[in-house]
Each structure stands twice: as C-alpha cells, then as structure tokens.
Amino acid sequence: MTKILEQGRVGLLSYALFDEEGAILDGTTQGRLFPYLHGHDNLPAALEAVLEGKVEGDDFDETIANAFGEKKGLDPQPVRRNELPKRIRDGLKVGMPFAAPASDGTVHQLWVTAIKGASVFVTTEHPMAGKTIRFAGRVSHVREATPDELADGRAHGADGRRH
C-alpha cells in the first residue's frame, strides 16, 4: 500500500536546492537519502508544502520565493564564545545553526554569521532568507514514524533507528 506524505510520517528524499542562477546550494549526495519527519518543522514550511500529499516515487520541482522566510535585515548580535555550551563552542563555523533556549523556555534557532575573537555573532534569520530557490527531487520512500521519532520531533534515519 502506498503511503501519503503527511503529518507524522517520515519521507526519504533525494533533492537539490538551486539559487536563481541555477547553482546548487544544498542537496543529497550520490545514493544518500535525506530523512525528515513531516509536519514537525524539520523543513521550512514552504518546502514542506511542496511535499505534502506526495507518495513514493513522486518527483517535485518548485521555484519558491522566500522559501526560508522573508529577509528582515536583522543585525547579528554578539555572544561571548564562553557563554555557549561546550558542544557548540567546539564546532563553531560560520553558517552553522544551533538551538538556544530563551529565558521564557522557548527554543530559538540561531545561525552563526561571524566569529571574531571571543565574540560569536548570531542571528535568528536563516542564511537563505529572502532568496528565491528551486527545490527539486524525488520522494523515494514514505514510512510511518516510530514512537521515538514522534517524541523527539525528528527522523532517526532511513530505518527509524537512532544513529
């Protein structure tokens, strides 16, 4: 029975993201599939909307304005490197995303925009915000999410086991 890609199911994708000039920005590599849990903010809403209702074997090819949100022009904010958790500090790179809890308990996704001495500059704006992208690929497989995946809010790999 063919499964529809919908809330709480895991999609395994081969895909590529292209900029307006056709250059590849991101994507899966040879023979590797990208697993994601549909409906759990594992992809930007605009990309997930393209995949909603697809079934195994379906191809997709959509050009989306502001696929990663509108560019707001927010200035990156400095954070002292030593204030970041060790697991984040040790692998810091420009463009790297990480989750940071706010004082009210909500968690915000931040991106590193620069590293200057003891300061790390971060923003809540995705690096591709404001860009028109082409999202193309294939839904290779759709499966039920495991209870652990649903609890974690993310796919645990092609087979559903933690890796």
Side-chain angles (χ1 to χ4, degrees):
M1 178 185 210
T2 303
K3 290 193 172 96
I4 296 171
L5 195 47
E6 60 189 6
Q7 174 80 25
R9 289 197 171 146
V10 173
L12 300 168
L13 312 176
S14 57
Y15 77 93
L17 291 179
F18 302 90
D19 67 13
E20 291 178 277
E21 288 76 45
I24 293 179
L25 301 170
D26 189 24
T28 53
T29 56
Q30 212 168 317
R32 301 200 90 166
L33 297 175
F34 173 74
Y36 87 99
L37 182 57
H38 194 81
H40 288 259
D41 297 324
N42 293 171
L43 292 175
L47 301 185
E48 206 166 81
V50 170
L51 299 169
E52 178 76 28
K54 299 277 190 226
V55 297
E56 284 181 20
D58 278 355
D59 292 322
F60 52 91
D61 192 341
E62 296 282 333
T63 299
I64 309 165
N66 297 315
F68 290 83
E70 290 185 28
K71 184 86 172 156
K72 296 180 181 121
L74 301 173
D75 289 334
Q77 300 297 308
V79 176
R80 295 186 55 80
R81 182 190 288 258
N82 64 2
E83 292 176 0
L84 296 172
K86 184 172 176 16
R87 65 179 172 72
I88 294 170
R89 271 194 320 258
D90 290 349
L92 278 177
K93 293 179 188 149
V94 172
M96 176 184 138
F98 66 92
S103 58
D104 66 0
T106 59
V107 177
H108 297 282
Q109 185 77 21
L110 301 175
W111 281 268
V112 176
T113 61
I115 303 168
K116 296 178 183 170
S119 294
V120 177
F121 291 81
V122 298
T123 183
T124 57
E125 210 164 62
H126 192 285
M128 289 194 260
K131 295 185 179 186
T132 296
I133 61 107
R134 183 174 149 232
F135 181 46
R138 172 175 282 238
V139 177
S140 295
H141 185 66
V142 177
R143 65 170 175 78
E144 295 296 332
T146 67
D148 281 347
E149 288 173 318
L150 291 171
D152 288 350
R154 63 179 183 81
H156 292 167
D159 58 5
R161 292 184 288 208
R162 292 181 198 260
H163 297 278

